[in-house]
Amino acid sequence: MQPAGVRDNQLHDSNSQKVHPQPMEEATNQNPEAVEALVSKIFGNISSLKSAYIQLQAAHTPYDPDKIQAADKLVISELKTLSELKHFYRENNPKPECVSPQDSRLAAEIQEQQSLLKTYEVMVKKFQSEIQNKDTEIVQLQKQIQEASLKREKLEKNLKLRGLSAKESESGGSENGILPVDLTPDLFTSVVEAAYRAIHDFSKPLINMMKAAGWDLDAAANSIEPDILYAKRAHKKYAFESHICQRMFSGFQQESFSVKQDNLTVPKESFFNQYLAMREMDPLDAVGQNPDSLFGKFCHSKYLVVVHPRMEASFFGNLDQRNYVMGGGHPRTPFYLAFLKLAKSIWLLQRLAYSFDPPVKVFQVNRGSEFSEVYMESVVKNFIVDESDQKPAVGLMVMPGFWIGGSLIQCKVYLTGVKVAE
């Protein structure tokens, strides 16, 4: 039995000892498997986060919006998982009171919510940016729709000019082998070039037949336009081309093309329909099917003014072909067939000119006019002008020019008094 004094001392020593809360390490060590699993999840989450971030960087080079969006969603998902692990740890392992005050946990929660709020703010800004991009795309699509509507209206107008409906066009406008044709300045320009080639082509047999008939070509060229100084004797062929051009284009500015017709008012659609109908047709077939058509009458009148009676008599020894034409017929001779090709090209050009609204305007230049590179094109390309001499002057006009809207198609001229480079 211990003395009373000894027991009092032991009791005093025992009371003087402080009881501390169990350390965190000890509390944690009570369930090491759970902690190990949590740590494994954290490391796995960090690895996934790293992989998602690498994918996000890779999506920028080259720039791929779809891959960027997918990688961005993956990064946010991994961040959310990491936040959930953090919450799980705090709920199952609260901090002892001796380590931090009572409000530390609330402060941590507030900080966590602030971080989440920032994340959501970033996402909201991103969504707003995407909405703006979509709005821009909508505006662009609306603009494309308007442009498509204008194109459709233009196409419908062209279809109307061709006498076709939209349904007929959709069912196939080329069933008869006729491809769609747009009424454009480029089309008119190509028809002008074809008309000039036709004049040139018809002048060749005309000159050859004059040679065969014993004509003096120098005198004939001088009678067409006297006192022209030609750079070469071969250039006198342009006098005959000018003669054909002047006769064929006479009355071009009139809708009727100097052809008498019952209906004087012809709608624009009718002009273009006439062009399309004649475009792919053989001219001999056209006059054969309807000799007294507008085109048939046009061929009658133009043949009689282009081919002089004396010329025809020297070619054939008589005027039988001329009389046949004057009687309303269309002979099948090679010479007349060559003329029909010329007549068709000029007829198509005039029908097309009046298909435009406003109609195409034709203009001519007179002999002696000063050469202008704006309004004229020389048929001889390699001419030389001396600096001491006056500016070149027009000797012959072999093809008129045209005004189509705000565009100009130059007339073709032969310049007099110039030299040609050898």
Side-chain angles (χ1 to χ4, degrees):
M1 184 175 181
Q2 293 181 346
V6 176
R7 291 196 301 270
D8 293 339
N9 291 334
Q10 292 178 347
L11 181 61
H12 175 75
D13 294 338
S14 177
N15 292 333
S16 63
Q17 293 180 355
K18 296 181 179 180
V19 179
H20 296 281
Q22 189 177 18
M24 196 63 158
E25 292 79 1
E26 294 178 8
T28 303
N29 290 335
Q30 290 178 358
N31 193 357
E33 295 179 357
V35 174
E36 184 178 352
L38 179 63
V39 172
S40 298
K41 288 182 179 180
I42 292 174
F43 280 119
N45 177 257
I46 292 174
S47 298
S48 299
L49 181 61
K50 181 180 178 181
S51 176
Y53 181 72
I54 292 173
Q55 293 180 31
L56 182 61
Q57 287 182 320
H60 284 80
T61 309
Y63 186 82
D64 191 330
D66 295 333
K67 290 184 178 180
I68 290 175
Q69 187 176 8
D72 184 62
K73 290 181 179 179
L74 187 58
V75 170
I76 293 174
S77 176
E78 295 299 336
L79 288 173
K80 287 182 177 179
T81 303
L82 185 61
S83 177
E84 291 172 359
L85 291 174
K86 181 178 179 181
H87 280 287
F88 175 81
Y89 178 81
R90 286 181 174 176
E91 290 175 358
N92 293 277
N93 299 279
K95 292 184 179 181
E97 296 179 0
C98 63
V99 176
S100 59
Q102 182 76 23
D103 297 337
S104 62
R105 186 170 183 175
L106 293 175
E109 292 290 339
I110 292 173
Q111 184 178 2
E112 180 67 21
Q113 295 300 324
Q114 288 176 342
S115 298
L116 289 174
L117 182 60
K118 290 181 180 179
T119 302
Y120 293 145
E121 288 177 351
V122 171
M123 293 178 65
V124 168
K125 290 181 179 180
K126 180 182 178 181
F127 291 147
Q128 288 177 343
S129 177
E130 291 179 353
I131 291 172
Q132 291 178 353
N133 292 335
K134 294 297 182 182
D135 290 340
T136 303
E137 291 180 4
I138 291 172
V139 172
Q140 292 177 350
L141 290 174
Q142 289 176 341
K143 184 178 179 180
Q144 292 177 3
I145 291 173
Q146 292 177 352
E147 293 176 352
S149 299
L150 293 175
K151 290 181 180 179
R152 179 177 177 84
E153 291 177 0
K154 182 179 178 181
L155 289 173
E156 288 178 347
K157 182 178 179 181
N158 288 336
L159 290 173
K160 184 178 179 182
L161 288 173
R162 291 198 289 270
L164 300 174
S165 64
K167 292 183 178 179
E168 289 174 336
S169 175
E170 292 173 358
S171 63
S174 59
E175 291 180 356
N176 296 326
I178 301 176
L179 297 176
V181 179
D182 290 330
L183 184 61
T184 62
D186 289 339
L187 173 63
F188 186 81
T189 301
S190 66
V191 177
V192 170
E193 294 297 327
Y196 176 65
R197 288 195 300 270
I199 292 174
H200 177 73
D201 292 342
F202 180 71
S203 69
K204 288 182 178 181
L206 182 68
I207 294 173
N208 290 334
M209 293 183 73
M210 291 178 70
K211 286 182 180 179
W215 280 70
D216 184 345
L217 296 182
D218 294 335
N222 189 63
S223 66
I224 293 173
E225 197 67 56
D227 301 326
I228 297 293
L229 297 177
Y230 295 97
K232 290 184 177 182
R233 186 171 183 269
H235 290 175
K236 291 185 179 182
K237 65 180 181 180
Y238 294 117
F240 299 99
E241 291 184 9
S242 176
H243 167 78
I244 296 170
C245 172
Q246 296 288 350
R247 300 299 186 275
M248 293 301 297
F249 277 92
S250 176
F252 185 92
Q253 68 278 5
Q254 302 172 12
E255 285 191 5
S256 63
F257 212 160
S258 301
V259 177
K260 294 182 179 180
Q261 53 185 345
D262 297 332
N263 185 12
L264 297 178
T265 58
V266 182
K268 301 297 180 185
E269 293 84 352
S270 179
F271 280 107
F272 196 58
N273 287 335
Q274 290 179 42
Y275 166 80
L276 292 172
M278 178 64 67
R279 183 169 178 259
E280 303 295 336
M281 184 178 291
D282 186 285
L284 184 60
D285 292 338
V287 296
Q289 293 173 7
N290 190 356
D292 294 326
S293 63
L294 292 177
F295 176 65
K297 293 179 180 179
F298 172 77
C299 293
H300 287 148
S301 62
K302 291 301 181 183
Y303 178 83
L304 296 176
V305 297
V306 170
V307 184
H308 194 274
R310 285 180 54 197
M311 186 182 295
E312 187 172 349
S314 67
F315 292 166
F316 308 113
N318 54 58
L319 297 177
D320 292 348
Q321 179 167 284
R322 188 176 192 86
N323 293 331
Y324 186 69
V325 173
M326 293 177 65
H330 297 281
R332 292 179 174 269
T333 62
F335 184 73
Y336 191 77
L337 293 179
F339 170 78
L340 286 180
K341 293 180 181 179
L342 167 66
K344 174 189 172 182
S345 66
I346 305 301
W347 177 260
L348 288 177
L349 184 62
Q350 202 268 353
R351 297 292 95 177
L352 191 60
Y354 273 90
S355 300
F356 288 86
D357 189 14
V360 176
K361 299 296 183 182
V362 61
F363 70 90
Q364 303 184 25
V365 291
N366 297 322
R367 176 182 175 178
S369 301
E370 184 177 297
F371 177 67
S372 170
E373 294 182 351
V374 177
Y375 298 99
M376 308 173 199
E377 178 187 358
S378 173
V379 291
V380 178
K381 304 301 180 184
N382 56 340
F383 67 89
I384 301 174
V385 179
D386 294 334
E387 296 181 358
S388 58
D389 295 340
Q390 296 180 350
K391 291 185 178 181
V394 174
L396 299 166
M397 188 197 72
V398 296
M399 186 70 182
F402 302 90
W403 286 104
I404 176 169
S407 302
L408 170 72
I409 299 177
Q410 297 170 309
C411 62
K412 298 182 185 295
V413 298
Y414 180 81
L415 303 178
T416 183
V418 296
K419 298 178 181 180
V420 178
E422 297 295 339

